[in-house]
Amino acid sequence: MNSIIRFFLLGSLLLPSNLAAQSLEQRDHIMSQTYRAAKRSIDDAMDRFWPELDSYEAAIMGTVEISVDRYDWNLYGVRAVRRGSERSIHFPMGFLIANLYVVWGMAANELAGHDKDLGLDYIHEISDVVKRSVRATNAGQRPPPMPSYGEFVRMSEAEWRRLATSEQYMLYVEAMMGDGLAFILAHEIGHHVQGHLDGPASSLQEELSADNYAVGLSINSGFNPILAFTPFLLFAAIENDTGVYDGTSTHPPGLCRVVMMLRSGSDAALREEGFMEYLTENNLRDEWFESQAELAALPDEHGMDCPESRTR
């Protein structure tokens, strides 16, 4: 079984509410399994990136330590770090677990034919529950349970089981998780190889540049940014992106980054030989463009003015 699928299956055991019910020995065992599965998934993406790096980029990345911190429940703490000659990319477990549920939810939302706004509501719920779980754990209290998408939309148990065990659902989940994690990794690589860590602080333009770098590296490595949107919907929920972007943040709004990836990924997919024929033969052409149009309209619907990227 693909390591990313193993990561998904382990993720359902790793919510703070479930961890609270485990003995210390059991928790350590589960966390160790998840750490290895997540690291393997990241290593798989890195293996596909190496052939696409030029000699300078490869020399830089040869000095970078990529780590997964199983005791860090930060939701928004994926980061590239440079301290002197030491370089690293850090993935907190909190982000990885929350992103698992976002992937599960968006895959189910798509297959069930539900409105995209319902999927976004679920992502906000996941973000809120994880934050409340961390506060409860820190206070020595029992964390709240994490709802599945089926529970959130009140599907019957039989209906949810049918959807969540389908082959199509698992394919959606594997693709979304693999490409999403790869894009996040590529973004952090972009910070290292473009010299963004040499200055005192990051800037909006550096974040836009790292996003564009990640698009190129992901596409060249066989990933598609269209499938990488779930982490940024999570970031949007964390940021509570509901107002007009005012240009003061060092990161573009999550919803704007979703649109950027959809456009880039769509262009890449449409350039692939036989892709349009596949959509037409399987009566998916209209669904393909309608689905992307819905997501692309989200910033306007939330009154957001997305910043423009100026690539090198």
Side-chain angles (χ1 to χ4, degrees):
M1 182 180 288
N2 186 289
S3 61
I4 292 176
I5 291 292
R6 291 202 306 273
F7 182 32
F8 290 148
L9 298 177
L10 285 167
S12 64
L13 303 174
L14 288 170
L15 295 169
S17 56
N18 288 340
L19 288 174
Q22 301 286 342
S23 68
L24 288 176
E25 183 177 351
Q26 288 172 318
R27 275 183 278 177
D28 285 345
H29 177 66
I30 292 172
M31 295 301 279
S32 294
Q33 286 182 313
T34 304
Y35 169 84
R36 289 194 296 269
K39 190 68 168 64
R40 174 63 184 278
S41 298
I42 292 168
D43 288 345
D44 287 347
M46 198 64 218
D47 286 344
R48 292 169 64 174
F49 288 157
W50 279 115
E52 304 303 326
L53 302 179
D54 62 29
S55 58
Y56 171 77
E57 294 169 335
I60 293 291
M61 287 307 300
T63 69
V64 175
E65 178 185 1
I66 303 174
S67 64
V68 176
D69 188 343
R70 52 187 159 181
Y71 299 111
D72 183 350
W73 288 91
N74 190 328
L75 290 178
Y76 201 52
V78 182
R79 60 189 181 275
V81 178
R82 180 181 181 184
R83 294 188 178 94
S85 61
E86 297 181 355
R87 295 176 179 268
S88 63
I89 295 174
H90 173 81
F91 284 83
M93 188 60 70
F95 160 74
L96 293 170
I97 296 302
N99 188 53
L100 275 173
Y101 272 77
V102 172
V103 167
W104 283 332
M106 291 308 292
N109 175 270
E110 179 69 23
L111 289 177
H114 292 163
D115 188 88
K116 291 294 184 295
D117 283 340
L118 190 57
L120 292 176
D121 289 342
Y122 176 68
I123 294 172
H124 278 280
E125 177 71 7
I126 292 301
S127 172
D128 182 64
V129 171
V130 172
K131 286 184 283 189
R132 286 191 285 119
S133 295
V134 172
R135 289 196 295 269
T137 300
N138 290 339
Q141 301 170 353
R142 186 175 182 82
M146 184 78 79
S148 70
Y149 180 80
E151 292 171 323
F152 182 75
V153 301
R154 298 184 179 179
M155 284 184 178
S156 69
E157 184 175 348
E159 184 182 9
W160 172 244
R161 187 182 300 276
R162 226 177 5 255
L163 186 151
T165 58
S166 68
E167 182 178 358
Q168 190 174 13
Y169 176 80
M170 294 304 292
L171 289 173
Y172 269 51
V173 165
E174 181 177 4
M176 286 182 183
M177 189 65 183
D179 287 50
L181 208 55
F183 187 92
I184 295 294
L185 176 59
H187 172 94
E188 303 305 335
I189 291 173
H191 282 311
H192 279 290
V193 303
Q194 293 182 319
H196 297 165
L197 307 178
D198 300 337
S202 64
S203 68
L204 173 61
Q205 189 54 42
E206 287 177 346
E207 293 300 330
L208 292 168
S209 180
D211 276 351
N212 280 280
Y213 177 89
V215 167
L217 180 57
S218 296
I219 290 174
N220 291 340
S221 302
F223 297 104
N224 194 308
I226 286 176
L227 299 171
F229 68 90
T230 54
F232 297 99
L233 290 180
L234 173 62
F235 294 158
I238 296 168
E239 298 159 0
N240 193 28
D241 281 341
T242 56
V244 175
Y245 181 74
D246 62 8
T248 62
S249 173
T250 60
H251 285 72
L255 292 180
C256 294
R257 299 170 88 180
V258 169
V259 172
M260 180 272 294
M261 285 183 288
L262 286 174
R263 288 173 178 163
S264 301
S266 178
D267 289 344
L270 293 173
R271 287 195 298 269
E272 291 184 8
E273 184 178 354
F275 181 73
M276 286 302 301
E277 289 81 357
Y278 170 81
L279 292 179
T280 302
E281 290 172 3
N282 291 275
N283 296 317
L284 295 172
R285 185 185 177 110
D286 290 344
E287 182 180 345
W288 164 266
F289 288 107
E290 287 171 6
S291 178
Q292 295 201 37
E294 285 181 25
L295 286 170
L298 287 174
D300 286 340
E301 291 173 3
H302 288 268
M304 306 187 91
D305 182 16
C306 294
E308 301 245 344
S309 65
R310 294 179 293 277
T311 58
R312 51 180 182 158

